[in-house]
Amino acid sequence: MRIRRLLAVLLATALSTGILAALAPAPAIASTGRQASAVTSIVWMPYWNYEVGDLVYGLTNRSAMYRCLVDHFSMPEWAPEDAPALWQRI
């Protein structure tokens, strides 16, 4: 039981500090011309800060990639498939 609790705390800490996102490979250059952030190679997640130009895979269709159009803090109902004002499918 203690090991599970410890692993949950470690995972939550890694997610909140961005350690896991930093381990994911990022494309060399985003289509915006700036260096791609670590966020560009993950599946979209709620409660995450996204910046214009970030690339993510869709929540329900993980083969589709989306580009962030507006800086925002994501909410559960703002998945790329459901929020065309925030995301553009590429």
Side-chain angles (χ1 to χ4, degrees), residues 69-88:
L69 300 174
V70 179
D71 291 345
H72 66 282
F73 182 78
S74 63
M75 301 303 283
E77 59 275 1
W78 295 349
E81 298 87 349
D82 301 327
L86 298 173
W87 299 97
Q88 176 186 26

Side-chain angles (χ1 to χ4, degrees), residues 1 4 12 15 17 25 28 34 42 46 48 50 52-54 56 58 79 81:
M1 187 66 166
R4 286 184 185 169
L15 288 172
T17 60
R34 68 177 173 91
I42 63 170
W48 195 268
Y50 290 101
V52 172
D54 284 343
V56 295
E81 298 87 349

Side-chain angles (χ1 to χ4, degrees), residues 20-45:
L20 294 181
L23 296 176
I29 297 177
S31 58
T32 59
R34 68 177 173 91
Q35 182 65 30
S37 69
V39 172
T40 61
S41 60
I42 63 170
V43 174
W44 177 88
M45 296 184 306

Side-chain angles (χ1 to χ4, degrees), residues 7-29:
L7 289 175
V9 169
L10 289 174
L11 180 59
T13 302
L15 288 172
S16 66
T17 60
I19 291 172
L20 294 181
L23 296 176
I29 297 177

